[in-house]
Amino acid sequence: MTHIDVPTPSQVPSHKPFLQVTWDDEETPARGFVVIDQLVTGIATGGMRMRPGCTLGEVNELAREMTLKMAAFGIHVGGAKGGIDFDPADPRAEEVRERFVRAVRPLLERYWVTAGDLGTRQEQLDETFARVGLGDSSFHAAVVRADDETEVRSRIRHASHALTDGLKLAELIGGYGVAEAALAALDHRGIPAANATAALQGFGAMGGSTALYLSRAGVRITGITDSRGLILNTGRGLDVESLLAARDAAGVIDRSVLREDDAEAPGEDWLGLDVDVLVPAAVSYVINPDNCDRVRAGLVVEAANVPTTAEAERSLHARGVTVVPDFVANTGAAAGAWWVILGEVVSPAGACTRLSAQMRPLVRRLMAEAGAAGVPMRDAAVGFARDNARRLSGEFGSVVAFRDLYSSTQQESVPEAVPVVTLDAAAPVGPPSGAEPDLAEALDKPVAGGRPAAEALPAYSAAYWPGPAEGDAQS
């Protein structure tokens, strides 16, 4: 049976959610939840996860995070999330997911744009949508708002199937954004990338691509943790690309590729490594009051969702450790997907260029504001996102959209073919001028669409950025 609770809607992130749905499966003990935290332009976005122990409170918090993510990057949609309390390894998982999708179909048809998440691969979700008659993409609720659905679906297929560095856009863009956030934070601290060290917990899609692009920027990755433990090389650093080639679908590294001077240690030791940057890229609440005193890094850049508890973050701030919050650092996947949906970018290169041009000045600005006020960076980021959320709701409408979702975007056509690219990891990092783009002024101003127009963003590339995709990506 499905129970629906509709609290009074609000237009700011710190509020009770607009809508909560709880679903109980009739054939298994599975229970599912949907939370729409906020609607903007009559729509909200957020992934659909499946894990044992998933709760309504967890989904509620993640939906609020999605509102903050969209608002921080000026994307005119609200935040939502779905979760199923069930083991994705159970042979009945696909059937459970399909029954859940059927149960909440009215939301998925018009209001909730979802995507793969923990325990749910994007391919699985798209197949589920096709089986229940919702088209070939979990982005259905956005696609049906377009004047030309065929063109939008083609654009999504092109961008999502293109391979760059052997990775699909969804696999690289999230970690690329985390790397950009870390590089901006290092720059703000006056630490050159070539002199910096980092350690990561998690080596799946997010952790793997974060490590890849940090290492290509010159950062020495000295520790990586997967489910089997910690791999270390505090001297010359780990060979990230070799480890990526040796990981399985679950992000577990084949230890046979380790070099003679690579070492292994218990997984929990990652937290106390003497590095400049720690990147939690696996599970929530991994940095908590019981272990945060072990952190020696000056920066924690959150790739996972809610990896640091509020109490631990306050403790870290008191010690001078900056936590770059998840809803800023890990927004790349969500932002990249929406830029593709709206036609603002059509390739991994375009998405990464756009993401860097917004991420770096935003991180620097928020760190500076937080430092001046003597508060954690999260406080400055929430304030910035809250202001944007109010403006976006006022400009685009909330529950009932009064401006079309696509009206403010300049859609690009899908290229017929994309050339093969070879990235030169040894080339110097940074734009040709040697200067970063500064979008602080643009970010301060209300602009069409609630964000800097695409043509206002600097068009430059760096050697470690993903280039055009490999081969003809259309399908």
Side-chain angles (χ1 to χ4, degrees):
M1 181 176 180
T2 302
H3 312 280
I4 301 179
D5 175 33
V6 185
T8 302
S10 177
Q11 301 304 329
V12 295
S14 54
H15 59 273
K16 291 182 179 180
F18 169 69
L19 177 75
Q20 294 181 345
V21 175
T22 299
W23 166 81
D24 292 299
D25 191 16
E26 295 181 351
E27 299 183 28
T28 72
R31 181 171 245 208
F33 313 97
V34 178
V35 175
I36 295 181
D37 182 68
Q38 181 177 9
L39 291 172
V40 178
T41 329
I43 206 164
T45 189
M48 183 187 299
R49 62 175 40 196
M50 177 184 281
R51 75 167 190 88
C54 183
T55 66
L56 176 60
E58 172 186 340
V59 175
N60 200 337
E61 185 170 6
L62 293 170
R64 185 174 296 112
E65 291 271 314
M66 287 304 304
T67 292
L68 294 173
K69 289 181 182 185
M70 296 296 97
F73 283 78
I75 299 171
H76 54 287
V77 299
K81 201 75 175 183
I84 305 172
D85 177 8
F86 198 71
D87 186 352
D90 189 296
R92 300 168 294 176
E94 280 296 313
E95 299 171 4
V96 169
R97 186 180 294 108
E98 182 171 330
R99 287 194 292 273
F100 177 66
V101 168
R102 290 185 186 278
V104 300
R105 176 171 178 159
L107 299 177
L108 294 166
E109 285 181 327
R110 287 288 173 179
Y111 301 108
W112 176 27
V113 175
T114 190
D117 201 278
L118 180 67
T120 300
R121 298 194 315 275
Q122 184 63 45
E123 294 83 359
Q124 290 176 314
L125 199 54
D126 288 340
E127 291 169 1
T128 300
F129 268 60
R131 286 196 301 271
V132 303
L134 284 173
D136 60 356
S137 171
S138 67
F139 303 155
H140 175 85
V143 173
V144 296
R145 295 272 294 272
D147 291 334
D148 188 345
E149 290 186 33
T150 301
E151 195 275 334
V152 176
R153 292 184 188 278
S154 176
R155 183 166 65 240
I156 292 171
R157 283 196 302 271
H158 176 271
S160 61
H161 293 168
L163 293 178
T164 302
D165 293 324
L167 302 172
K168 294 181 179 180
L169 176 62
E171 297 168 328
L172 70 86
I173 188 67
Y176 177 83
V178 175
E180 286 293 289
L183 292 168
L186 286 168
D187 179 66
H188 186 78
R189 286 283 182 94
I191 303 172
N195 296 341
T197 54
L200 300 92
Q201 185 215 32
F203 206 53
M206 184 70 81
S209 55
T210 300
L212 174 65
Y213 294 115
L214 279 177
S215 66
R216 287 193 177 178
V219 176
R220 185 158 42 96
I221 309 300
T222 61
I224 293 173
T225 297
D226 63 11
S227 62
R228 290 181 56 187
L230 173 63
I231 297 174
L232 283 167
N233 193 310
T234 57
R236 58 174 171 160
L238 297 168
D239 184 345
V240 172
E241 301 208 25
S242 173
L243 298 181
L244 283 170
R247 68 175 176 172
D248 64 16
V252 179
I253 299 166
D254 180 354
R255 266 53 177 178
S256 68
V257 304
L258 299 186
R259 303 164 302 179
E260 290 184 359
D261 57 337
D262 294 336
E264 295 187 66
E268 61 268 19
D269 287 359
W270 78 283
L271 200 61
L273 292 178
D274 187 9
V275 293
D276 297 296
V277 180
L278 280 182
V279 181
V283 297
S284 299
Y285 315 121
V286 68
I287 302 177
N288 54 61
D290 295 332
N291 62 20
C292 64
D293 60 335
R294 298 177 56 196
V295 173
R296 301 172 68 186
L299 294 166
V300 175
V301 183
E302 297 186 324
N305 289 319
V306 202
T308 309
T309 68
E311 185 177 351
E313 188 165 345
R314 288 192 296 270
S315 177
L316 291 171
H317 171 69
R319 292 170 45 206
V321 178
T322 294
V323 177
V324 181
D326 50 358
F327 68 87
V328 174
N330 74 7
T331 300
W338 273 97
W339 292 334
V340 169
I341 291 170
L342 297 173
E344 298 178 5
V345 302
V346 296
S347 69
C352 289
T353 300
R354 174 89 183 243
L355 181 58
S356 178
Q358 289 192 237
M359 180 70 78
R360 291 212 187 194
L362 178 58
V363 168
R364 289 197 298 264
R365 167 188 171 162
L366 294 175
M367 288 184 72
E369 290 182 357
V375 299
M377 182 178 172
R378 184 178 302 273
D379 290 9
V382 168
F384 175 78
R386 181 183 292 116
D387 290 344
N388 261 2
R390 290 193 186 101
R391 178 165 52 81
L392 290 167
S393 293
E395 182 177 353
F396 289 95
S398 55
V399 180
V400 179
F402 59 80
R403 283 189 56 177
D404 184 75
L405 179 67
Y406 291 85
S407 63
S408 67
T409 64
Q410 296 183 354
Q411 299 180 18
E412 298 176 4
S413 60
V414 177
E416 294 184 1
V418 189
V420 175
V421 63
T422 301
L423 300 180
D424 181 5
V429 173
S433 66
E436 299 287 351
D438 189 354
L439 297 191
E441 182 179 357
L443 288 168
D444 281 334
K445 295 178 179 178
V447 291
R451 59 198 182 284
E455 62 270 18
L457 300 174
Y460 66 81
S461 64
Y464 79 107
W465 288 12
E470 299 156 0
D472 185 354
Q474 294 193 69
S475 62

